[in-house]
């Protein structure tokens, strides 16, 4: 036994030395992540840096700073421990702050409230019966589903049987629309390099609404700049109608790439959200990838992400209505 300990000492392998090395590696990674977040974020053309930025969201940086503080305390570096505690407080404050948006107040002109549920159903890997159970618990008027199974007649029958009050529209590429109302013509398009959208005008109890489904590929090394730029063009072409843009953006909400959308639309959670925001991955969500947006024709009343183990994405449930201006147009065409 003593011979083994002597060998380890001769090689210079000591537990404290390993802990210090691990501490230095994590601290370096933390500072690199923060430097990226304070400078280029995901605007750089170096895809590996973008991937590293997406892999180090603010909640993870908070946990890492707390862990480094405890490690510094264990190593008896009191000043370093105090520094990491301060860093953790700063990160916690930054993660908790949000650029709240405000919509104009509705006056006496009332519009029927509608409920929309956006959900990436993860291909129904935990069973579509469980998917249906979660959906029915929210009793939405509009279900916008991503990764919801193949567009077959068998799946159409399945959805229609479980949602007899809704019209079922299979949009292709595992996108499905369930609607209390009627859907019009569907426009299919790409969000290059790897993404897609579906655009459809629907008629509901609230009135006519234009919906844009968004599904951007999740590979972190792919640029999100081009697909969001194309989506911005679609939004500019649709400004005359009440518009809802929803889907799996596979891009964190705090990305500066959303600035064109922020300038044109309102985000449902920023406007009327309550509770914990991140939607992926279950069971410890860190990133807000699933989002609902609207133009000035829509007013959000409430937005909340549900907790559900049926998918690796949390459902987003939104209550909304048409704005006063849109109601006047409906009543006086």
């Amino acid at each position: 036994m003593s011979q083994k300990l002597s060998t380890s000492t001769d090689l210079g392998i000591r537990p404290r030395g390993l802990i210090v090395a691990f501490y230095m590696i994590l601290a370096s990674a933390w500072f690199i992540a923060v430097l990226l977040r304070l400078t280029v974020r995901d605007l750089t053309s170096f895809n590996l840096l973008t991937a590293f930025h997406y892999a180090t969201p603010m909640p993870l940086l908070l946990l890492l700073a707390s862990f480094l503080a405890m490690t510094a305390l264990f190593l008896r570096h009191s000043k370093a421990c105090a520094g990491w505690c301060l860093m953790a407080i700063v990160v916690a404050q930054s993660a908790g702050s949000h650029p709240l948006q405000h919509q104009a107040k509705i006056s006496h002109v009332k519009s029927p409230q509608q409920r929309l549920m956006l959900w990436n159903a993860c291909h129904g890997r935990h069973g579509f019966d469980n998917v249906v159970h979660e959906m029915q618990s929210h009793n939405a008027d509009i279900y916008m589903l991503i990764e919801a199974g193949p567009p077959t007649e068998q799946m159409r029958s399945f959805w229609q049987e479980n949602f007899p009050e809704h019209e079922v529209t299979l949009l292709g590429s595992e996108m499905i629309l369930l609607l209390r109302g009627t859907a019009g013509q569907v426009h299919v398009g790409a969000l290059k390099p790897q993404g897609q959208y579906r655009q459809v005008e629907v008629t509901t109890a609230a009135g006519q609404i234009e919906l844009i489904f968004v599904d951007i590929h999740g590979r972190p090394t792919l640029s999100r700049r081009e697909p969001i730029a194309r989506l911005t063009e679609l939004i500019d072409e649709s400004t005359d109608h009440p518009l809802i843009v929803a889907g799996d953006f596979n891009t964190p909400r705090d990305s500066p790439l959303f600035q064109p959308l922020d300038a044109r639309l309102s985000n449902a959670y920023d406007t009327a959200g309550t509770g914990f925001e991140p939607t992926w991955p279950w069971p410890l969500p860190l990133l807000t990838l699933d989002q609902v947006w609207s133009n000035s024709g829509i007013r959000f009343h409430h937005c909340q992400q549900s907790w559900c183990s049926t998918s690796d994405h949390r459902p987003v449930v939104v209550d909304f209505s048409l704005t006063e201006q849109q109601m006047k147009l409906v009543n006086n065409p």
Side-chain angles (χ1 to χ4, degrees), residues 8 11 48 52 70 96 103 160-161 197 206 220 235 244 272 288 290:
S8 297
L11 293 174
L48 289 178
F52 184 74
M70 291 186 291
Q103 294 176 313
Q160 197 65 73
E161 179 181 348
Y197 73 89
I235 292 167
I244 292 178
T288 306
D290 308 271

Side-chain angles (χ1 to χ4, degrees), residues 56-317:
T56 52
M58 293 296 277
L60 185 61
L61 292 178
L62 170 60
L63 293 175
L64 185 56
S66 302
F67 176 77
L68 288 168
M70 291 186 291
T71 304
L73 182 62
F74 175 80
L75 295 173
R76 298 181 181 178
H77 297 317
S78 57
K79 291 184 179 179
C81 177
W84 284 116
C85 288
L86 179 61
M87 294 293 187
I89 293 172
V90 172
V91 170
Q93 190 279 332
S94 300
S97 62
H98 219 286
L100 295 178
Q101 300 174 347
H102 300 279
Q103 294 176 313
K105 293 182 178 180
I106 298 178
S107 64
H108 63 280
V109 181
K110 295 183 179 180
S111 166
Q113 281 198 31
Q114 299 275 285
R115 172 163 291 182
L116 179 148
M117 178 176 175
L118 164 69
W119 196 15
N120 181 322
C122 193
H123 313 287
R125 289 176 181 170
H126 296 283
F128 277 108
D129 289 337
N130 293 326
V131 171
V132 167
H133 178 74
E134 174 66 20
M135 292 169 59
Q136 290 176 340
S137 69
H138 296 287
N139 191 29
D141 302 287
I142 303 173
Y143 294 97
M144 299 178 69
L145 303 179
I146 310 292
E147 295 185 8
T152 63
E153 288 305 314
Q154 180 180 0
M155 288 302 297
R156 183 193 299 274
S157 299
F158 172 82
W159 293 114
Q160 197 65 73
E161 179 181 348
N162 285 283
F163 296 90
E165 297 180 357
H166 292 70
E167 180 183 87
V168 178
T169 305
L170 304 180
L171 303 174
S173 299
E174 298 194 72
M175 298 185 194
I176 297 177
L177 170 65
L178 305 180
L179 172 72
R180 285 193 179 110
T182 57
Q185 184 178 0
V186 177
H187 299 277
V188 179
L191 298 173
K192 296 179 179 180
Q194 290 192 23
Q196 52 194 322
Y197 73 89
R198 301 292 185 268
Q199 189 170 5
V200 54
E201 187 171 298
V202 302
T203 302
T204 70
Q208 288 190 333
I209 304 170
E210 194 165 348
L211 302 177
I212 298 181
F213 285 69
V214 177
D215 187 13
I216 297 176
H217 196 281
R219 199 168 77 194
T221 55
L222 287 176
S223 172
R224 272 65 168 171
R225 186 189 300 271
E226 292 81 3
I228 293 180
R230 173 58 182 140
L231 180 61
T232 303
E233 294 176 357
L234 293 172
I235 292 167
D236 288 339
E237 296 168 1
S238 307
T239 53
D240 293 337
H241 305 90
L243 172 68
I244 292 178
V245 180
D248 180 3
F249 289 80
N250 269 308
T251 309
R253 171 65 184 97
D254 61 356
S255 169
L257 293 173
F258 281 117
Q259 289 177 359
L261 269 65
D262 279 314
R264 294 164 171 79
L265 305 177
S266 296
N267 181 279
Y269 187 87
D270 293 356
T271 304
T274 60
F276 188 62
E277 181 183 13
T279 62
W280 182 91
W282 171 267
L284 297 173
L286 297 173
L287 300 173
T288 306
L289 304 183
D290 308 271
Q291 303 165 29
V292 179
W293 300 73
S294 79
N295 66 359
S296 59
I298 298 290
R299 175 178 172 82
F300 292 123
H301 299 277
H302 185 255
C303 174
Q304 187 169 12
Q305 284 78 351
S306 176
W307 290 96
C308 175
S309 60
T310 304
S311 169
D312 60 340
H313 289 251
R314 297 173 65 201
V316 182
V317 181

